[in-house]
Amino acid sequence: MAKDTGIPADIWRFYLLFIRPEGQDSAFSWYDLLLKNNSELLNNLGNFVNRAGMFVHKFFDGCVPTMELNADDKRLLAQVTQELRQYNQLLEKVRIRDALRCILNISRHGNQYIQVNEPWKRIKGDEDDRKRAGTVTGVAVNTAALISLMLHPYMPGVSATIQEQLQAPQDLGLPDNEFVCTLPTGHRIGTVSPLFQKLENDQIEDLRKRFGGGQPEEHMEVQVQKEVKSAAPPPGGPAPLSDPQKVKELAEAVMKQGMIVRDLKASKAEKTLVDTEVSKLLELKKELLLAEGKTPEPPAQKSKKRK
């Protein structure tokens, strides 16, 4: 059936692993598939990898420029290294879904890094500005090379495409604990092209009608809500026992995601990127409440002001 949808197999692999149940139930949603494809793959990961490669082509004749790292660059490398270590640890624990989020976090850091440093402006400046544009571009394209390796267990086709576009070394292996630049100064990359295509509402609605089994998606959402309510303790009854380790992990995830949101807002990132991260923060908070044995409150309805 997946082949008949016209959606590439790697997109299905990504989405089904992204919603993979790890400690709680999950439900398939056609419109959530659209959202994840357009926000996480197209606007986040794909946008970062494509920009990094295009800057190399447009500004440096297709060759990785010289990199002279400053504090901002080293901060990004530290962030990427932290996500890489977390990725390896999570895979060892077979927490496949959570490890996938580490990859998306790296591309988010990369997008923010590019947005703050603006290499497309610096390349038009004086010698120092042009050197800075070179460093940012070199670091970004090396981060894209790392992403291609981390992505291989999830999206092997996309991983191979990125490596082909970057002309990455054949024997490139995933580092264990430290992110290092693997595309040296002077390395010539290949032709860069977009990795993902936008899914449209009409396209998804058609697929939902063809493959949805006759069950309207809004009914599925109501069913999920009913299941959450049925799992909640009765009024005045005892709350279910919570898992202290799970609560601790979710609390840390909420704090970490809150920092991501604050950083994006402080750097005046694109609204779609901020909204995506805010949605993740709210979802994590809801998961934390459930793990603590509490029932999440429904979102408040905005009341219209009377004139």
Side-chain angles (χ1 to χ4, degrees):
M1 186 187 82
K3 185 170 68 172
D4 296 333
T5 65
I7 297 174
D10 268 11
I11 305 299
W12 284 108
R13 289 171 62 95
F14 165 83
Y15 181 67
L16 294 175
L17 290 170
F18 191 94
I19 65 168
R20 180 179 187 266
E22 292 181 1
Q24 63 180 28
D25 292 337
S26 63
F28 173 82
S29 163
W30 284 105
Y31 289 102
D32 189 50
L33 169 64
L34 177 147
L35 177 65
K36 295 298 187 295
N37 177 82
N38 293 352
S39 62
E40 293 292 2
L41 293 180
L42 182 66
N43 294 337
N44 176 16
L45 192 150
N47 182 51
F48 170 67
V49 172
N50 187 255
R51 290 172 88 189
M54 289 302 297
F55 289 155
V56 175
H57 264 292
K58 186 174 181 179
F59 302 142
F60 301 98
D61 195 29
C63 293
V64 176
T66 302
M67 292 167 274
E68 299 176 2
L69 305 184
N70 66 14
D72 285 342
D73 309 315
K74 292 175 182 177
R75 186 178 303 112
L76 174 70
L77 298 187
Q79 290 172 327
V80 173
T81 293
Q82 181 181 0
E83 295 293 347
L84 173 63
R85 291 174 179 172
Q86 183 79 351
Y87 168 90
N88 286 324
Q89 291 170 6
L90 289 168
L91 283 185
E92 287 178 1
K93 298 176 182 177
V94 201
R95 289 173 57 184
I96 298 172
R97 183 189 65 185
D98 292 339
L100 177 56
R101 282 163 167 74
C102 294
I103 304 174
L104 300 173
N105 287 341
I106 289 176
S107 57
R108 259 187 290 277
H109 288 312
N111 274 317
Q112 186 178 353
Y113 171 73
I114 289 175
Q115 206 65 27
V116 168
N117 286 282
E118 300 180 323
W120 62 91
K121 290 184 180 179
R122 291 183 180 271
I123 198 66
K124 301 174 184 176
D126 58 21
E127 174 110 11
D128 287 340
D129 277 337
R130 289 195 294 274
K131 285 183 179 178
R132 183 68 193 139
T135 296
V136 172
T137 299
V139 169
V141 78
N142 269 281
T143 304
L146 174 67
I147 286 175
S148 75
L149 297 173
M150 298 174 70
L151 203 57
H152 180 73
Y154 299 94
M155 307 178 78
V158 173
S159 169
T161 298
I162 298 173
Q163 292 183 39
E164 181 181 357
Q165 291 185 7
L166 300 183
Q167 290 293 289
Q170 295 288 326
D171 58 349
L172 207 58
L174 183 66
D176 292 329
N177 293 314
E178 203 75 30
F179 167 46
V180 293
C181 292
T182 54
L183 306 180
T185 298
H187 172 85
R188 182 171 291 279
I189 69 172
T191 302
V192 177
S193 59
L195 297 170
F196 307 106
Q197 298 296 323
K198 183 178 182 181
L199 292 178
E200 301 291 348
N201 284 323
D202 291 346
Q203 177 186 3
I204 288 298
E205 178 60 18
D206 178 63
L207 291 172
R208 187 186 70 78
K209 289 178 179 178
R210 288 169 58 198
F211 301 107
Q215 184 183 26
E217 189 141 315
E218 54 267 26
H219 290 181
M220 293 168 61
E221 293 170 359
V222 170
Q223 183 178 350
V224 171
Q225 291 173 4
K226 287 180 178 178
E227 289 174 358
V228 171
K229 288 180 180 178
S230 66
L241 294 175
S242 60
D243 181 351
Q245 182 61 30
K246 183 69 174 176
V247 170
K248 180 183 177 182
E249 290 173 358
L250 284 170
E252 291 175 352
V254 167
M255 183 173 63
K256 183 177 179 181
Q257 187 64 22
M259 292 176 65
I260 292 173
V261 170
R262 284 193 292 274
D263 288 344
L264 288 173
K265 289 182 176 179
S267 64
K268 298 182 179 179
E270 297 175 4
K271 186 177 184 300
T272 54
L273 191 59
V274 174
D275 289 345
T276 298
E277 294 308 310
V278 169
S279 296
K280 289 183 180 179
L281 177 59
L282 294 175
E283 186 63 29
L284 282 169
K285 287 182 176 179
K286 184 170 74 173
E287 290 182 25
L288 177 58
L289 286 172
L290 289 171
E292 291 174 334
K294 302 174 184 176
T295 306
E297 295 183 2
Q301 298 292 329
K302 293 184 179 179
S303 58
K304 295 182 179 179
K305 294 182 179 180
R306 294 181 179 179
K307 294 183 179 179

